[in-house]
């Protein structure tokens, strides 16, 4: 009997590993399939990351383009050194980060549910479901395929809390050291991550109460000090930079904050409602971030999310009344994480709801959805009274596999066809600038090339941001731009006698006529 039980456990573990590997395979496919082609084009905010990874790697902070933490750009520089300069290698860092986050979410979900006294089998099943939902999510897949540094936020949060919770459960200090490293590195990722400070403080308070009730105040203090010291020293280089350059600390966030509005309370209410509705009703309208206006969650996942959210809220009140702090901590943590990481969007008024600024809320969102689905199955399956190897059980298994396959295909269709092939996406990612860059690359390096940047944008080295995409595409062939980039008022600097090309980033009939008169031998082109 003991041997039979051990064999059944071993068989179940093999199935579990198989499903985990399958989910990671799906995550890899969703994030790497046609990575260099979808989304088509390269948005200037992506391109500047690539350009600075080539021309000026190794900085702690890049003040250009409203300021960016340097870690992501330096990781792109590493990608370029390994794979060469291309659109694919520009987005490689985001894709790898996305896949690792799926695995991290599996580990974290299983860990916090074990703390909540769930059976290991149940914890593993919910962990697999949460990883599956994240792996196939349009929201997370999309930002895993764009060279925006925000994708680092869910990655660092997931591993930070996995090792922190594991440390408090096992009482092994190395977990706190690793967690501190992730906590500190997160500050080098994206401005929205800074709100993680409040979440970490709240988690430490919850664990502090629990450890105090166990009479373990001294050991809690030791673990906490180790964790915070490591995080402090890892984040210190960026802190020193901000002390020396305080103007870069807030950067663009101050301009879009609700506190900069005439009626901040009204702005807060409007933004709060917009962000709460974005999951199931009306999502981000920016084509770079979402299928314009569509809910962030696929409707079955959206329903499951609401069930899991409601269940977790009920659990918090239930265990708070019973003063069962061990089980209270995981559910209270998930609710806090979800709301705190919505605040980067809620506290701004531009482009609301904003799925990029709130990407840090994606992991708990899909944990809630997994909890919701497990809750439905736990209520429904006992009523079916299925016996082992029964025909009904086999039929149910086949039906579930068909359902899973249909779900994966629908999510594939949603991202790669419905969104990926939409003409609006080409415009959102400035595909025409990529085509211009490739056209310029068709000429030799000694052929005279000029690009007139007659489109508005944040200035970088005196030239508006739209030039960054064309510059990056030039670098994919020549490593350094061969064209000279000018403002419309500086066309007197153009020197073309025998032959050359002058490209306008935007159509301007008057400027084209002036250029054709001054440089009759030049090839004139413009972006529509």
């Amino acid at each position: 009997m003991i041997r039979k039980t051990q064999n059944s456990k071993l068989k179940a573990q093999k199935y579990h590993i198989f499903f985990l590997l399958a989910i990671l395979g799906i995550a890899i496919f969703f994030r790497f399939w046609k990575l260099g082609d979808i989304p088509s084009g390269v948005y200037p905010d992506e391109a500047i990351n690539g350009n600075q990874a080539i021309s000026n790697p190794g900085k702690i902070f890049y003040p250009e383009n409203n300021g960016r933490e340097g870690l992501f750009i330096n990781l792109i520089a590493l990608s370029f050194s390994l794979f060469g300069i291309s659109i694919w290698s520009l987005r490689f860092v985001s894709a790898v980060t996305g896949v690792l986050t799926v695995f991290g979410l599996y580990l974290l979900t299983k860990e916090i549910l074990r703390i909540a006294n769930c059976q290991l089998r149940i914890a593993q099943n919910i962990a697999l479901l949460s990883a599956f939902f994240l792996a196939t999510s349009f929201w997370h897949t999309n930002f895993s395929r764009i060279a925006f540094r925000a994708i680092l936020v869910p990655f660092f949060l997931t591993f930070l809390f996995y090792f922190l919770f594991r440390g408090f459960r096992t009482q092994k200090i190395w977990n706190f050291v690793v967690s501190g490293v992730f906590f500190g590195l997160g500050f080098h990722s994206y401005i929205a991550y800074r709100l993680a400070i409040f979440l970490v403080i709240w988690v430490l308070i919850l664990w502090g109460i629990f450890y105090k009730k166990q009479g373990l105040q001294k050991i809690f203090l030791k673990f906490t000090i180790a964790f915070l010291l490591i995080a402090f020293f890892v984040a210190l280089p960026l802190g020193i930079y901000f002390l020396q350059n305080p103007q870069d600390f807030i950067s663009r966030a101050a301009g879009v904050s609700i506190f900069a509005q005439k009626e901040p309370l009204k702005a807060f209410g409007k933004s709060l409602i917009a962000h709460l509705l974005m999951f199931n009703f009306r999502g981000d309208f920016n084509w770079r971030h979402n299928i314009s206006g569509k809910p962030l969650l696929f409707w079955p996942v959206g329903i499951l999310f609401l069930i899991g959210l409601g269940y977790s809220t009920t659990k918090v009140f239930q265990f708070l009344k019973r003063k069962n702090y061990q089980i209270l901590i995981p559910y209270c943590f998930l609710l806090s994480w979800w709301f705190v990481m919505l605040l980067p969007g809620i506290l701004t008024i531009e482009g609301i709801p904003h799925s990029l600024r709130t990407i840090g809320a994606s992991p708990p969102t899909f944990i809630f959805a997994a909890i919701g689905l497990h809750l439905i199955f736990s209520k429904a399956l006992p009523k079916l009274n299925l016996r082992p190897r029964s025909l009904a059980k086999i039929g149910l298994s086949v039906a579930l596999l068909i359902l899973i396959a249909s779900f994966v295909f629908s999510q594939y269709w949603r991202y790669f066809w419905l969104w990926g092939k939409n003409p609006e996406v080409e415009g959102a990612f400035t595909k025409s600038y990529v085509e211009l860059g490739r056209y310029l690359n068709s000429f030799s390096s000694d052929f005279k090339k000029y690009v007139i940047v007659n489109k508005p944008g944040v200035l970088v080295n005196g030239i508006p941001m739209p030039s960054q995409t064309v510059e990056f595409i030039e670098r994919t062939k020549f490593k350094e731009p061969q064209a000279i980039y000018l403002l419309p008022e500086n066309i007197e600097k153009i020197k073309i006698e025998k032959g050359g090309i002058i490209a306008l980033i935007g159509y301007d009939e008057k400027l084209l006529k002036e250029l054709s008169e001054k440089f009759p031998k030049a090839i004139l082109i413009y972006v529509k």
Side-chain angles (χ1 to χ4, degrees):
M1 178 63 73
I2 294 172
R3 189 172 181 179
K4 188 176 180 180
T5 304
Q6 287 176 339
N7 288 338
S8 63
K9 285 183 178 179
L10 188 62
K11 188 177 180 181
Q13 192 63 23
K14 285 181 179 178
Y15 276 121
H16 182 78
I17 293 171
F18 169 78
F19 284 124
L20 176 59
L21 292 176
I23 289 166
L24 292 176
I26 292 169
I28 291 169
F29 176 79
F30 268 64
R31 283 149 186 81
F32 279 95
W33 174 248
K34 294 187 177 181
L35 182 60
D37 301 318
I38 301 174
S40 56
V42 177
Y43 190 61
D45 283 0
E46 294 181 277
I48 191 174
N49 291 336
N51 289 330
Q52 293 189 310
I54 298 164
S55 63
N56 197 12
K59 293 177 69 174
I60 293 294
F61 192 85
Y62 293 81
E64 300 83 3
N65 192 29
N66 298 307
R68 288 150 300 134
E69 295 79 3
L71 177 60
F72 187 70
I73 294 170
N74 293 318
L75 289 173
I76 291 173
L78 176 61
S79 175
F80 287 162
S81 68
L82 293 173
F83 306 111
I85 301 168
S86 66
I87 297 174
W88 185 91
S89 55
L90 173 68
R91 292 171 173 165
F92 173 81
V93 174
S94 296
V96 170
T97 300
V99 173
L100 290 175
T101 306
V102 171
F103 179 60
L105 186 62
Y106 162 80
L107 295 175
L108 173 62
T109 306
K110 187 169 71 170
E111 182 62 41
I112 60 177
L113 290 176
R114 288 183 70 185
I115 291 168
N117 280 342
C118 278
Q119 295 178 17
L120 179 60
R121 180 179 59 83
I122 294 174
Q124 288 178 329
N125 289 342
I126 296 175
L128 286 174
L129 288 171
S130 63
F132 174 71
F133 288 141
L134 186 68
T136 55
S137 154
F138 179 98
W139 185 15
H140 193 262
T141 296
N142 184 42
F143 291 119
S144 298
R145 297 174 61 93
I146 305 172
F148 290 166
R149 69 196 192 283
I151 194 61
L152 294 174
V153 175
F155 168 76
F156 282 122
L157 288 172
T158 300
F159 282 97
L160 148 65
F161 288 115
Y162 166 65
F163 285 106
L164 187 61
F165 275 73
R166 180 184 173 88
F168 280 124
R169 180 179 63 84
T170 63
Q171 297 186 11
K172 292 180 180 179
I173 197 159
W174 70 267
N175 289 290
F176 295 95
V177 173
V178 177
S179 182
V181 171
F182 279 106
F183 185 29
L185 281 174
F187 291 100
H188 296 269
S189 61
Y190 182 60
I191 190 170
Y193 179 86
R194 297 174 196 174
L195 287 175
I197 293 174
F198 301 104
L199 190 55
V200 167
I201 291 171
W202 176 234
V203 168
L204 291 177
I205 289 171
L206 291 172
W207 276 108
I209 294 170
F210 177 74
Y211 265 60
K212 185 179 179 182
K213 287 187 174 293
Q214 307 299 313
L216 299 172
Q217 296 97 317
K218 288 185 179 179
I219 196 169
F220 171 79
L221 193 61
K222 182 180 76 171
F223 291 154
T224 302
I225 290 172
F227 164 68
L228 293 177
L229 274 178
I230 294 294
F232 173 78
F233 284 112
V234 173
L236 185 59
L238 186 64
I240 292 172
Y241 175 87
F242 286 138
L243 285 173
Q244 296 171 343
N245 304 273
Q247 73 281 358
D248 290 333
F249 180 71
I250 297 179
S251 61
R252 184 169 177 265
V256 298
S257 169
I258 59 167
F259 302 109
Q261 310 305 310
K262 291 182 178 179
E263 298 181 81
L265 195 61
K266 183 179 178 181
F268 172 78
K270 180 182 177 182
S271 186
L272 174 64
I273 292 169
H275 284 91
L276 292 178
L277 292 176
M278 72 178 180
F279 296 96
N280 289 306
F281 297 99
R282 189 174 64 176
D284 196 322
F285 286 88
N286 189 332
W287 276 99
R288 279 189 301 279
H289 303 166
N290 189 32
I291 302 170
S292 183
K294 297 292 183 182
L296 285 188
L297 303 180
F298 185 35
W299 68 265
V301 181
I303 293 171
L304 295 173
F305 157 71
L306 291 176
I307 294 170
L309 182 67
Y311 175 80
S312 300
T313 305
T314 304
K315 283 290 182 183
V316 167
F317 286 109
Q318 186 181 99
F319 291 114
L320 188 62
K321 189 176 180 179
R322 296 179 186 175
K323 295 185 179 180
N324 189 334
Y325 291 101
Q326 181 176 338
I327 301 180
L328 172 68
I329 289 171
Y331 292 105
C332 196
F333 160 68
L334 287 175
L335 290 168
S336 302
W337 181 0
W338 180 73
F339 183 73
V340 168
M341 296 318 295
L342 283 181
L343 288 176
I346 293 171
L347 296 178
T348 59
I349 199 65
E350 180 216 42
I352 59 171
H354 206 290
S355 58
L356 176 63
R357 294 183 190 131
T358 56
I359 188 67
S362 56
T365 297
F366 295 108
I367 294 176
F368 288 136
I371 290 172
L373 183 56
H374 180 267
L375 189 64
I376 291 173
F377 270 96
S378 65
K379 298 290 184 184
L381 284 179
K383 295 180 181 179
L384 296 176
N385 195 25
L386 299 174
R387 297 186 305 276
R389 297 183 181 179
S390 68
L391 190 62
K393 190 170 184 178
I394 294 170
L396 180 62
S397 298
V398 172
L400 283 174
L401 287 174
I402 293 172
L403 188 64
I404 290 169
S406 301
F407 183 90
V408 172
F409 177 77
S410 66
Q411 291 294 73
Y412 170 85
W413 176 81
R414 192 169 183 236
Y415 179 82
F416 290 98
W417 287 87
L418 185 61
W419 182 84
K421 294 185 178 294
N422 194 300
E424 294 286 350
V425 175
E426 293 184 1
F429 283 90
T430 58
K431 185 181 179 181
S432 57
Y433 296 170
V434 172
E435 292 171 343
L436 172 58
R438 287 173 176 163
Y439 181 72
L440 293 174
N441 286 348
S442 67
F443 296 90
S444 64
S445 59
D446 56 357
F447 193 77
K448 290 188 175 181
K449 308 170 192 177
Y450 294 89
V451 177
I452 310 299
V453 187
N454 57 329
K455 283 279 189 179
V458 176
L459 297 181
V460 179
N461 299 321
I463 303 295
M465 273 289 292
S467 70
Q468 293 294 318
T469 298
V470 187
E471 288 183 44
F472 176 73
I473 299 302
E474 281 200 90
R475 282 187 161 103
T476 61
K477 182 176 181 179
F478 297 108
K479 195 169 182 179
E480 290 298 330
Q482 304 299 298
I484 296 172
Y485 292 80
L486 300 170
L487 296 172
E489 56 266 30
N490 295 328
I491 61 173
E492 73 280 354
K493 294 181 180 179
I494 298 174
K495 306 294 180 185
I496 294 179
E497 296 175 358
K498 294 183 179 179
I501 183 169
I502 303 173
L504 275 67
I505 282 191
Y507 177 74
D508 186 325
E509 185 176 356
K510 183 179 178 182
L511 184 57
L512 282 168
K513 185 178 179 182
E514 183 181 353
L515 289 168
S516 64
E517 291 173 354
K518 285 189 175 183
F519 308 101
K521 295 184 179 180
I523 301 170
L524 291 179
I525 60 170
Y526 62 88
V527 174
K528 292 183 180 179

